[in-house]
Short mmCIF file of all heavy atoms in Angstrom, two decimals:
data_model
loop_
_atom_site.label_atom_id
_atom_site.label_comp_id
_atom_site.label_asym_id
_atom_site.label_seq_id
_atom_site.Cartn_x
_atom_site.Cartn_y
_atom_site.Cartn_z
N MET A 107 41.90 95.37 -76.27
CA MET A 107 42.28 96.78 -76.31
C MET A 107 43.48 97.02 -75.40
O MET A 107 43.50 96.58 -74.26
CB MET A 107 41.10 97.65 -75.83
CG MET A 107 41.50 99.09 -75.54
SD MET A 107 40.20 100.05 -74.74
CE MET A 107 39.09 100.33 -76.10
N ARG A 108 44.43 97.74 -75.98
CA ARG A 108 45.56 98.17 -75.15
C ARG A 108 45.76 99.67 -75.35
O ARG A 108 45.77 100.16 -76.47
CB ARG A 108 46.84 97.41 -75.53
CG ARG A 108 48.04 97.76 -74.66
CD ARG A 108 49.17 96.76 -74.85
NE ARG A 108 49.46 96.53 -76.27
CZ ARG A 108 50.20 97.34 -77.03
NH1 ARG A 108 50.72 98.43 -76.51
NH2 ARG A 108 50.40 97.07 -78.30
N ILE A 109 45.88 100.40 -74.24
CA ILE A 109 46.00 101.85 -74.29
C ILE A 109 47.46 102.23 -74.49
O ILE A 109 48.35 101.67 -73.85
CB ILE A 109 45.47 102.48 -72.98
CG1 ILE A 109 43.98 102.15 -72.83
CG2 ILE A 109 45.70 103.98 -72.96
CD1 ILE A 109 43.43 102.48 -71.46
N GLU A 110 47.67 103.19 -75.38
CA GLU A 110 49.00 103.75 -75.58
C GLU A 110 48.94 105.24 -75.24
O GLU A 110 48.01 105.93 -75.64
CB GLU A 110 49.46 103.56 -77.03
CG GLU A 110 49.63 102.08 -77.37
CD GLU A 110 50.08 101.87 -78.80
OE1 GLU A 110 49.90 102.78 -79.63
OE2 GLU A 110 50.60 100.78 -79.08
N VAL A 111 49.92 105.70 -74.48
CA VAL A 111 49.96 107.10 -74.06
C VAL A 111 51.28 107.72 -74.52
O VAL A 111 52.35 107.16 -74.29
CB VAL A 111 49.87 107.22 -72.52
CG1 VAL A 111 49.88 108.69 -72.11
CG2 VAL A 111 48.62 106.54 -72.00
N ASP A 112 51.16 108.88 -75.15
CA ASP A 112 52.34 109.66 -75.49
C ASP A 112 52.51 110.70 -74.38
O ASP A 112 51.91 111.77 -74.41
CB ASP A 112 52.16 110.34 -76.85
CG ASP A 112 53.41 111.09 -77.28
OD1 ASP A 112 54.29 111.33 -76.43
OD2 ASP A 112 53.50 111.43 -78.47
N PHE A 113 53.30 110.33 -73.38
CA PHE A 113 53.44 111.20 -72.21
C PHE A 113 54.11 112.53 -72.55
O PHE A 113 53.99 113.50 -71.82
CB PHE A 113 54.19 110.48 -71.09
CG PHE A 113 53.34 109.46 -70.37
CD1 PHE A 113 53.40 108.12 -70.73
CD2 PHE A 113 52.49 109.84 -69.35
CE1 PHE A 113 52.62 107.17 -70.07
CE2 PHE A 113 51.70 108.91 -68.69
CZ PHE A 113 51.77 107.56 -69.06
N ALA A 114 54.84 112.56 -73.66
CA ALA A 114 55.47 113.82 -74.08
C ALA A 114 54.41 114.83 -74.52
O ALA A 114 54.62 116.03 -74.43
CB ALA A 114 56.45 113.55 -75.22
N ARG A 115 53.25 114.33 -75.00
CA ARG A 115 52.17 115.22 -75.43
C ARG A 115 51.24 115.59 -74.28
O ARG A 115 50.67 116.67 -74.27
CB ARG A 115 51.33 114.54 -76.52
CG ARG A 115 51.97 114.51 -77.89
CD ARG A 115 51.05 113.74 -78.82
NE ARG A 115 51.51 113.81 -80.21
CZ ARG A 115 51.07 114.71 -81.08
NH1 ARG A 115 50.16 115.58 -80.72
NH2 ARG A 115 51.53 114.71 -82.30
N CYS A 116 51.05 114.67 -73.35
CA CYS A 116 50.06 114.87 -72.29
C CYS A 116 50.39 116.10 -71.46
O CYS A 116 51.52 116.27 -71.01
CB CYS A 116 50.01 113.63 -71.40
SG CYS A 116 48.94 113.85 -69.96
N GLU A 117 49.38 116.95 -71.25
CA GLU A 117 49.59 118.14 -70.44
C GLU A 117 48.83 118.06 -69.11
O GLU A 117 48.72 119.06 -68.40
CB GLU A 117 49.19 119.40 -71.20
CG GLU A 117 47.73 119.46 -71.57
CD GLU A 117 47.34 120.75 -72.27
OE1 GLU A 117 48.24 121.51 -72.68
OE2 GLU A 117 46.14 120.98 -72.41
N GLY A 118 48.28 116.90 -68.81
CA GLY A 118 47.69 116.70 -67.49
C GLY A 118 46.45 117.51 -67.21
O GLY A 118 46.17 117.83 -66.06
N ASN A 119 45.68 117.83 -68.24
CA ASN A 119 44.47 118.63 -68.02
C ASN A 119 43.29 117.80 -67.51
O ASN A 119 42.29 118.36 -67.08
CB ASN A 119 44.09 119.35 -69.31
CG ASN A 119 43.96 118.40 -70.47
OD1 ASN A 119 43.32 117.36 -70.35
ND2 ASN A 119 44.59 118.73 -71.58
N GLY A 120 43.41 116.49 -67.59
CA GLY A 120 42.43 115.63 -66.93
C GLY A 120 41.16 115.36 -67.71
O GLY A 120 40.22 114.79 -67.16
N GLN A 121 41.10 115.74 -68.98
CA GLN A 121 39.90 115.45 -69.75
C GLN A 121 39.62 113.94 -69.78
O GLN A 121 38.48 113.50 -69.67
CB GLN A 121 40.05 115.98 -71.18
CG GLN A 121 38.81 115.79 -72.03
CD GLN A 121 37.60 116.53 -71.45
OE1 GLN A 121 37.69 117.70 -71.09
NE2 GLN A 121 36.48 115.83 -71.34
N CYS A 122 40.66 113.15 -69.91
CA CYS A 122 40.48 111.70 -69.97
C CYS A 122 39.98 111.15 -68.64
O CYS A 122 39.25 110.15 -68.61
CB CYS A 122 41.78 111.02 -70.38
SG CYS A 122 43.17 111.39 -69.30
N VAL A 123 40.35 111.80 -67.55
CA VAL A 123 39.88 111.35 -66.23
C VAL A 123 38.38 111.58 -66.11
O VAL A 123 37.66 110.78 -65.52
CB VAL A 123 40.64 112.10 -65.12
CG1 VAL A 123 40.17 111.65 -63.75
CG2 VAL A 123 42.15 111.89 -65.26
N ILE A 124 37.91 112.68 -66.70
CA ILE A 124 36.47 112.96 -66.69
C ILE A 124 35.73 111.91 -67.52
O ILE A 124 34.70 111.39 -67.10
CB ILE A 124 36.20 114.38 -67.23
CG1 ILE A 124 36.80 115.41 -66.28
CG2 ILE A 124 34.71 114.61 -67.44
CD1 ILE A 124 36.83 116.82 -66.82
N ASP A 125 36.28 111.59 -68.69
CA ASP A 125 35.61 110.65 -69.58
C ASP A 125 35.71 109.21 -69.08
O ASP A 125 34.77 108.42 -69.26
CB ASP A 125 36.22 110.73 -70.98
CG ASP A 125 35.76 111.97 -71.73
OD1 ASP A 125 34.65 112.45 -71.46
OD2 ASP A 125 36.53 112.46 -72.58
N ALA A 126 36.85 108.86 -68.53
CA ALA A 126 37.10 107.46 -68.17
C ALA A 126 37.74 107.36 -66.79
O ALA A 126 38.90 106.96 -66.64
CB ALA A 126 38.00 106.80 -69.24
N PRO A 127 36.96 107.68 -65.76
CA PRO A 127 37.53 107.70 -64.40
C PRO A 127 37.92 106.32 -63.88
O PRO A 127 38.66 106.22 -62.91
CB PRO A 127 36.39 108.30 -63.56
CG PRO A 127 35.15 108.04 -64.35
CD PRO A 127 35.56 108.09 -65.79
N ASP A 128 37.43 105.26 -64.52
CA ASP A 128 37.82 103.92 -64.09
C ASP A 128 39.19 103.53 -64.61
O ASP A 128 39.75 102.53 -64.17
CB ASP A 128 36.79 102.89 -64.57
CG ASP A 128 35.44 103.09 -63.90
OD1 ASP A 128 35.41 103.28 -62.67
OD2 ASP A 128 34.43 103.06 -64.62
N VAL A 129 39.70 104.31 -65.56
CA VAL A 129 40.93 103.90 -66.25
C VAL A 129 42.06 104.91 -66.06
O VAL A 129 43.23 104.52 -66.00
CB VAL A 129 40.64 103.70 -67.75
CG1 VAL A 129 41.90 103.27 -68.50
CG2 VAL A 129 39.53 102.68 -67.94
N PHE A 130 41.70 106.21 -65.96
CA PHE A 130 42.73 107.25 -65.86
C PHE A 130 42.59 108.02 -64.55
O PHE A 130 41.49 108.17 -64.02
CB PHE A 130 42.60 108.25 -67.03
CG PHE A 130 42.77 107.62 -68.38
CD1 PHE A 130 41.67 107.43 -69.20
CD2 PHE A 130 44.02 107.22 -68.82
CE1 PHE A 130 41.82 106.86 -70.46
CE2 PHE A 130 44.18 106.65 -70.08
CZ PHE A 130 43.08 106.46 -70.90
N GLU A 131 43.73 108.51 -64.08
CA GLU A 131 43.76 109.26 -62.84
C GLU A 131 44.89 110.28 -62.96
O GLU A 131 45.85 110.07 -63.69
CB GLU A 131 44.06 108.28 -61.69
CG GLU A 131 43.58 108.67 -60.33
CD GLU A 131 43.77 107.52 -59.35
OE1 GLU A 131 44.90 107.35 -58.84
OE2 GLU A 131 42.81 106.76 -59.11
N LEU A 132 44.77 111.39 -62.22
CA LEU A 132 45.88 112.33 -62.11
C LEU A 132 46.43 112.27 -60.70
O LEU A 132 45.66 112.18 -59.73
CB LEU A 132 45.43 113.76 -62.41
CG LEU A 132 45.02 114.10 -63.84
CD1 LEU A 132 44.61 115.57 -63.91
CD2 LEU A 132 46.14 113.82 -64.84
N ASP A 133 47.75 112.32 -60.58
CA ASP A 133 48.31 112.39 -59.23
C ASP A 133 48.32 113.84 -58.76
O ASP A 133 47.82 114.75 -59.45
CB ASP A 133 49.71 111.74 -59.18
CG ASP A 133 50.78 112.56 -59.89
OD1 ASP A 133 50.52 113.72 -60.25
OD2 ASP A 133 51.88 112.02 -60.08
N GLY A 134 48.84 114.10 -57.59
CA GLY A 134 48.81 115.43 -57.00
C GLY A 134 49.54 116.48 -57.81
O GLY A 134 49.30 117.68 -57.63
N ASP A 135 50.42 116.05 -58.70
CA ASP A 135 51.16 116.97 -59.56
C ASP A 135 50.60 117.02 -60.97
O ASP A 135 51.27 117.47 -61.90
CB ASP A 135 52.64 116.56 -59.62
CG ASP A 135 53.32 116.71 -58.27
OD1 ASP A 135 53.03 117.71 -57.58
OD2 ASP A 135 54.11 115.82 -57.90
N ASP A 136 49.36 116.54 -61.15
CA ASP A 136 48.71 116.51 -62.45
C ASP A 136 49.46 115.64 -63.47
O ASP A 136 49.44 115.91 -64.67
CB ASP A 136 48.51 117.92 -63.02
CG ASP A 136 47.38 118.66 -62.32
OD1 ASP A 136 46.60 118.00 -61.59
OD2 ASP A 136 47.26 119.87 -62.52
N ASN A 137 50.14 114.63 -62.99
CA ASN A 137 50.73 113.64 -63.89
C ASN A 137 49.71 112.53 -64.13
O ASN A 137 49.06 112.06 -63.20
CB ASN A 137 52.00 113.03 -63.28
CG ASN A 137 53.10 114.06 -63.12
OD1 ASN A 137 53.42 114.79 -64.06
ND2 ASN A 137 53.66 114.14 -61.93
N LEU A 138 49.59 112.13 -65.37
CA LEU A 138 48.61 111.11 -65.72
C LEU A 138 49.05 109.73 -65.23
O LEU A 138 50.20 109.34 -65.40
CB LEU A 138 48.44 111.07 -67.25
CG LEU A 138 47.45 110.03 -67.75
CD1 LEU A 138 46.04 110.37 -67.28
CD2 LEU A 138 47.51 109.94 -69.27
N ILE A 139 48.10 109.04 -64.62
CA ILE A 139 48.32 107.65 -64.22
C ILE A 139 47.30 106.80 -64.96
O ILE A 139 46.10 107.09 -64.94
CB ILE A 139 48.11 107.48 -62.70
CG1 ILE A 139 49.13 108.33 -61.93
CG2 ILE A 139 48.20 106.02 -62.29
CD1 ILE A 139 48.82 108.44 -60.45
N VAL A 140 47.78 105.78 -65.64
CA VAL A 140 46.88 104.83 -66.28
C VAL A 140 46.69 103.65 -65.33
O VAL A 140 47.64 102.95 -64.99
CB VAL A 140 47.46 104.34 -67.63
CG1 VAL A 140 46.48 103.37 -68.29
CG2 VAL A 140 47.74 105.52 -68.55
N LEU A 141 45.46 103.49 -64.86
CA LEU A 141 45.18 102.46 -63.87
C LEU A 141 45.22 101.07 -64.48
O LEU A 141 45.53 100.09 -63.81
CB LEU A 141 43.82 102.71 -63.22
CG LEU A 141 43.67 104.07 -62.51
CD1 LEU A 141 42.23 104.28 -62.09
CD2 LEU A 141 44.60 104.15 -61.32
N ASN A 142 44.88 101.00 -65.77
CA ASN A 142 44.84 99.69 -66.43
C ASN A 142 45.06 99.87 -67.92
O ASN A 142 44.19 100.41 -68.61
CB ASN A 142 43.49 99.01 -66.16
CG ASN A 142 43.46 97.58 -66.63
OD1 ASN A 142 44.40 97.12 -67.30
ND2 ASN A 142 42.40 96.87 -66.31
N TYR A 143 46.22 99.46 -68.40
CA TYR A 143 46.52 99.63 -69.83
C TYR A 143 45.72 98.67 -70.71
O TYR A 143 45.63 98.87 -71.92
CB TYR A 143 48.02 99.43 -70.08
CG TYR A 143 48.86 100.65 -69.80
CD1 TYR A 143 49.43 100.86 -68.55
CD2 TYR A 143 49.07 101.61 -70.79
CE1 TYR A 143 50.19 101.98 -68.28
CE2 TYR A 143 49.83 102.75 -70.54
CZ TYR A 143 50.39 102.93 -69.29
OH TYR A 143 51.13 104.05 -69.04
N GLU A 144 45.18 97.62 -70.13
CA GLU A 144 44.35 96.68 -70.89
C GLU A 144 43.01 96.55 -70.17
O GLU A 144 42.74 95.53 -69.51
CB GLU A 144 45.07 95.34 -71.03
CG GLU A 144 46.36 95.48 -71.83
CD GLU A 144 46.98 94.12 -72.18
OE1 GLU A 144 46.37 93.08 -71.87
OE2 GLU A 144 48.06 94.12 -72.77
N PRO A 145 42.18 97.58 -70.29
CA PRO A 145 40.93 97.60 -69.52
C PRO A 145 39.94 96.55 -70.02
O PRO A 145 39.96 96.17 -71.19
CB PRO A 145 40.39 99.01 -69.77
CG PRO A 145 40.97 99.41 -71.08
CD PRO A 145 42.32 98.77 -71.14
N PRO A 146 39.07 96.10 -69.12
CA PRO A 146 38.05 95.14 -69.51
C PRO A 146 37.03 95.78 -70.45
O PRO A 146 36.91 97.00 -70.52
CB PRO A 146 37.40 94.75 -68.18
CG PRO A 146 37.66 95.92 -67.28
CD PRO A 146 38.99 96.46 -67.70
N ARG A 147 36.30 94.93 -71.14
CA ARG A 147 35.40 95.38 -72.20
C ARG A 147 34.40 96.43 -71.70
O ARG A 147 34.04 97.34 -72.45
CB ARG A 147 34.67 94.17 -72.79
CG ARG A 147 33.83 94.49 -74.00
CD ARG A 147 33.26 93.21 -74.59
NE ARG A 147 34.27 92.40 -75.24
CZ ARG A 147 34.61 92.50 -76.53
NH1 ARG A 147 34.00 93.39 -77.27
NH2 ARG A 147 35.52 91.72 -77.04
N GLU A 148 33.96 96.31 -70.47
CA GLU A 148 32.94 97.27 -69.99
C GLU A 148 33.50 98.69 -69.90
O GLU A 148 32.72 99.64 -69.76
CB GLU A 148 32.34 96.84 -68.65
CG GLU A 148 33.32 96.81 -67.49
CD GLU A 148 33.80 95.40 -67.19
OE1 GLU A 148 33.91 94.58 -68.13
OE2 GLU A 148 34.07 95.11 -66.00
N HIS A 149 34.80 98.84 -69.98
CA HIS A 149 35.39 100.18 -69.93
C HIS A 149 35.83 100.69 -71.30
O HIS A 149 36.33 101.81 -71.41
CB HIS A 149 36.60 100.19 -68.98
CG HIS A 149 36.22 99.98 -67.55
ND1 HIS A 149 37.11 99.51 -66.60
CD2 HIS A 149 35.04 100.15 -66.90
CE1 HIS A 149 36.49 99.42 -65.43
NE2 HIS A 149 35.24 99.79 -65.59
N TRP A 150 35.63 99.90 -72.34
CA TRP A 150 36.13 100.30 -73.65
C TRP A 150 35.46 101.58 -74.15
O TRP A 150 36.12 102.44 -74.74
CB TRP A 150 35.93 99.17 -74.67
CG TRP A 150 36.88 98.03 -74.46
CD1 TRP A 150 37.72 97.83 -73.40
CD2 TRP A 150 37.09 96.93 -75.34
NE1 TRP A 150 38.42 96.67 -73.57
CE2 TRP A 150 38.07 96.10 -74.74
CE3 TRP A 150 36.54 96.56 -76.56
CZ2 TRP A 150 38.51 94.92 -75.34
CZ3 TRP A 150 36.98 95.39 -77.17
CH2 TRP A 150 37.96 94.58 -76.56
N ALA A 151 34.15 101.70 -73.94
CA ALA A 151 33.43 102.87 -74.47
C ALA A 151 33.98 104.16 -73.84
O ALA A 151 34.17 105.16 -74.53
CB ALA A 151 31.94 102.74 -74.21
N GLN A 152 34.24 104.12 -72.54
CA GLN A 152 34.74 105.35 -71.90
C GLN A 152 36.17 105.63 -72.34
O GLN A 152 36.57 106.78 -72.49
CB GLN A 152 34.61 105.29 -70.38
CG GLN A 152 35.24 104.12 -69.68
CD GLN A 152 35.13 104.23 -68.16
OE1 GLN A 152 35.89 104.95 -67.54
NE2 GLN A 152 34.17 103.52 -67.56
N VAL A 153 36.96 104.59 -72.59
CA VAL A 153 38.32 104.81 -73.08
C VAL A 153 38.27 105.41 -74.49
O VAL A 153 39.02 106.36 -74.79
CB VAL A 153 39.12 103.49 -73.10
CG1 VAL A 153 40.45 103.69 -73.81
CG2 VAL A 153 39.34 103.00 -71.67
N GLU A 154 37.38 104.91 -75.31
CA GLU A 154 37.27 105.46 -76.67
C GLU A 154 36.84 106.93 -76.62
O GLU A 154 37.33 107.76 -77.39
CB GLU A 154 36.28 104.62 -77.48
CG GLU A 154 36.88 103.28 -77.87
CD GLU A 154 35.84 102.25 -78.30
OE1 GLU A 154 34.62 102.57 -78.25
OE2 GLU A 154 36.24 101.14 -78.67
N ALA A 155 35.96 107.27 -75.70
CA ALA A 155 35.55 108.67 -75.54
C ALA A 155 36.74 109.52 -75.10
O ALA A 155 36.94 110.64 -75.57
CB ALA A 155 34.42 108.77 -74.52
N ALA A 156 37.56 108.99 -74.20
CA ALA A 156 38.73 109.73 -73.72
C ALA A 156 39.73 109.95 -74.85
O ALA A 156 40.31 111.03 -74.97
CB ALA A 156 39.38 108.97 -72.56
N VAL A 157 39.93 108.94 -75.66
CA VAL A 157 40.87 109.07 -76.79
C VAL A 157 40.38 110.17 -77.73
O VAL A 157 41.16 111.01 -78.19
CB VAL A 157 41.00 107.74 -77.54
CG1 VAL A 157 41.77 107.92 -78.85
CG2 VAL A 157 41.70 106.71 -76.66
N ARG A 158 39.07 110.19 -77.99
CA ARG A 158 38.51 111.20 -78.90
C ARG A 158 38.62 112.60 -78.31
O ARG A 158 38.81 113.57 -79.04
CB ARG A 158 37.04 110.89 -79.18
CG ARG A 158 36.82 109.83 -80.23
CD ARG A 158 35.38 109.85 -80.74
NE ARG A 158 34.41 109.63 -79.67
CZ ARG A 158 34.00 108.44 -79.27
NH1 ARG A 158 34.44 107.36 -79.86
NH2 ARG A 158 33.13 108.32 -78.28
N SER A 159 38.47 112.74 -77.01
CA SER A 159 38.36 114.08 -76.43
C SER A 159 39.68 114.63 -75.92
O SER A 159 39.76 115.80 -75.55
CB SER A 159 37.33 114.08 -75.30
OG SER A 159 37.75 113.26 -74.25
N CYS A 160 40.73 113.83 -75.91
CA CYS A 160 42.03 114.35 -75.43
C CYS A 160 42.47 115.50 -76.32
O CYS A 160 42.68 115.32 -77.52
CB CYS A 160 43.09 113.25 -75.45
SG CYS A 160 44.74 113.91 -75.07
N PRO A 161 42.61 116.70 -75.76
CA PRO A 161 42.94 117.86 -76.59
C PRO A 161 44.35 117.81 -77.15
O PRO A 161 44.67 118.54 -78.08
CB PRO A 161 42.77 119.04 -75.61
CG PRO A 161 42.92 118.45 -74.26
CD PRO A 161 42.40 117.05 -74.34
N LYS A 162 45.20 116.99 -76.57
CA LYS A 162 46.58 116.89 -77.03
C LYS A 162 46.82 115.66 -77.92
O LYS A 162 47.95 115.42 -78.34
CB LYS A 162 47.54 116.84 -75.83
CG LYS A 162 47.40 118.00 -74.87
CD LYS A 162 47.64 119.33 -75.54
CE LYS A 162 49.12 119.51 -75.89
NZ LYS A 162 49.37 120.84 -76.45
N ARG A 163 45.77 114.89 -78.16
CA ARG A 163 45.89 113.66 -78.95
C ARG A 163 47.01 112.78 -78.41
O ARG A 163 47.81 112.21 -79.17
CB ARG A 163 46.10 113.98 -80.43
CG ARG A 163 45.00 114.87 -80.99
CD ARG A 163 45.25 115.23 -82.43
NE ARG A 163 45.18 114.05 -83.29
CZ ARG A 163 44.13 113.72 -84.02
NH1 ARG A 163 43.07 114.48 -84.00
NH2 ARG A 163 44.15 112.65 -84.77
N ALA A 164 47.06 112.67 -77.10
CA ALA A 164 48.12 111.90 -76.45
C ALA A 164 47.75 110.44 -76.24
O ALA A 164 48.60 109.65 -75.85
CB ALA A 164 48.46 112.54 -75.09
N LEU A 165 46.49 110.10 -76.52
CA LEU A 165 46.02 108.74 -76.26
C LEU A 165 45.75 108.01 -77.57
O LEU A 165 45.28 108.60 -78.54
CB LEU A 165 44.73 108.77 -75.44
CG LEU A 165 44.83 109.45 -74.06
CD1 LEU A 165 43.45 109.52 -73.42
CD2 LEU A 165 45.79 108.70 -73.17
N ALA A 166 46.04 106.72 -77.56
CA ALA A 166 45.73 105.89 -78.71
C ALA A 166 45.34 104.50 -78.20
O ALA A 166 45.62 104.13 -77.06
CB ALA A 166 46.92 105.80 -79.66
N ILE A 167 44.70 103.76 -79.09
CA ILE A 167 44.30 102.40 -78.76
C ILE A 167 44.96 101.45 -79.74
O ILE A 167 44.86 101.63 -80.95
CB ILE A 167 42.77 102.23 -78.83
CG1 ILE A 167 42.10 103.07 -77.75
CG2 ILE A 167 42.38 100.76 -78.70
CD1 ILE A 167 40.59 103.15 -77.90
N ALA A 168 45.65 100.46 -79.21
CA ALA A 168 46.19 99.39 -80.02
C ALA A 168 45.14 98.28 -80.05
O ALA A 168 44.70 97.81 -79.00
CB ALA A 168 47.51 98.88 -79.45
N GLU A 169 44.72 97.92 -81.23
CA GLU A 169 43.60 96.98 -81.34
C GLU A 169 44.04 95.53 -81.32
O GLU A 169 43.21 94.63 -81.39
CB GLU A 169 42.82 97.24 -82.64
CG GLU A 169 42.29 98.67 -82.77
CD GLU A 169 41.10 98.94 -81.87
OE1 GLU A 169 40.67 98.00 -81.18
OE2 GLU A 169 40.64 100.08 -81.84
N GLY A 170 45.31 95.29 -81.21
CA GLY A 170 45.85 93.94 -81.36
C GLY A 170 45.28 92.89 -80.44
O GLY A 170 45.18 91.74 -80.80
N SER A 171 44.87 93.32 -79.22
CA SER A 171 44.47 92.32 -78.24
C SER A 171 42.95 92.11 -78.22
O SER A 171 42.39 91.68 -77.24
CB SER A 171 44.95 92.73 -76.85
OG SER A 171 44.47 94.03 -76.54
N GLU A 172 42.29 92.43 -79.33
CA GLU A 172 40.85 92.21 -79.44
C GLU A 172 40.49 90.78 -79.02
O GLU A 172 41.08 89.82 -79.49
CB GLU A 172 40.40 92.45 -80.88
CG GLU A 172 38.92 92.23 -81.13
CD GLU A 172 38.09 93.45 -80.70
OE1 GLU A 172 38.67 94.54 -80.64
OE2 GLU A 172 36.92 93.26 -80.43
N GLY A 173 39.51 90.68 -78.13
CA GLY A 173 39.07 89.36 -77.72
C GLY A 173 39.87 88.80 -76.55
O GLY A 173 39.47 87.81 -75.95
N ALA A 174 40.98 89.43 -76.24
CA ALA A 174 41.82 88.92 -75.15
C ALA A 174 41.67 89.75 -73.89
O ALA A 174 42.49 89.69 -73.01
CB ALA A 174 43.28 88.90 -75.60
N ALA A 175 40.61 90.57 -73.87
CA ALA A 175 40.43 91.47 -72.74
C ALA A 175 40.02 90.65 -71.53
O ALA A 175 40.20 91.05 -70.43
CB ALA A 175 39.37 92.52 -73.05
S1 SF4 B 983 43.12 114.20 -71.80
FE1 SF4 B 983 45.07 113.89 -72.88
S2 SF4 B 983 46.35 115.63 -72.31
FE2 SF4 B 983 44.66 115.52 -70.84
S3 SF4 B 983 45.46 114.30 -69.12
FE3 SF4 B 983 44.42 112.89 -70.51
S4 SF4 B 983 46.02 112.13 -71.89
FE4 SF4 B 983 46.82 113.97 -70.88
#
């Protein structure tokens, strides 16, 4: 799994941080920080939840690296 972020869409509301706190973070200016663009398998479920719940549809998953996590 590799995370793709459309930063032009992201509005920094932090929904993804709530869903996947091991992977996403906001800095002091509410800018999104991705802690790990290729998270380990144990974090995939929370990343998938974050992708689904992002109100701006700014997150996507590239499936190309399946098995290489
Ligand atoms: S949930 Fe979406 S819009 Fe909100 S901070 Fe995360 S990526 Fe940005």
Side-chain angles (χ1 to χ4, degrees):
M107 167 189 286
R108 183 167 49 80
I109 298 169
E110 296 180 340
V111 182
D112 184 345
F113 284 97
R115 283 177 173 266
C116 174
E117 62 177 13
N119 54 47
Q121 184 61 48
C122 57
V123 180
I124 294 169
D125 284 331
D128 294 315
V129 180
F130 299 106
E131 206 172 82
L132 291 180
D133 71 11
D135 295 320
D136 285 347
N137 295 310
L138 180 65
I139 298 169
V140 181
L141 301 172
N142 188 352
Y143 277 92
E144 297 189 4
R147 187 174 288 270
E148 64 260 32
H149 293 158
W150 286 10
Q152 55 176 281
V153 171
E154 286 163 358
V157 170
R158 279 196 301 272
S159 64
C160 173
K162 304 301 289 184
R163 304 177 66 100
L165 300 175
I167 294 170
E169 303 286 357
S171 55
E172 179 80 23

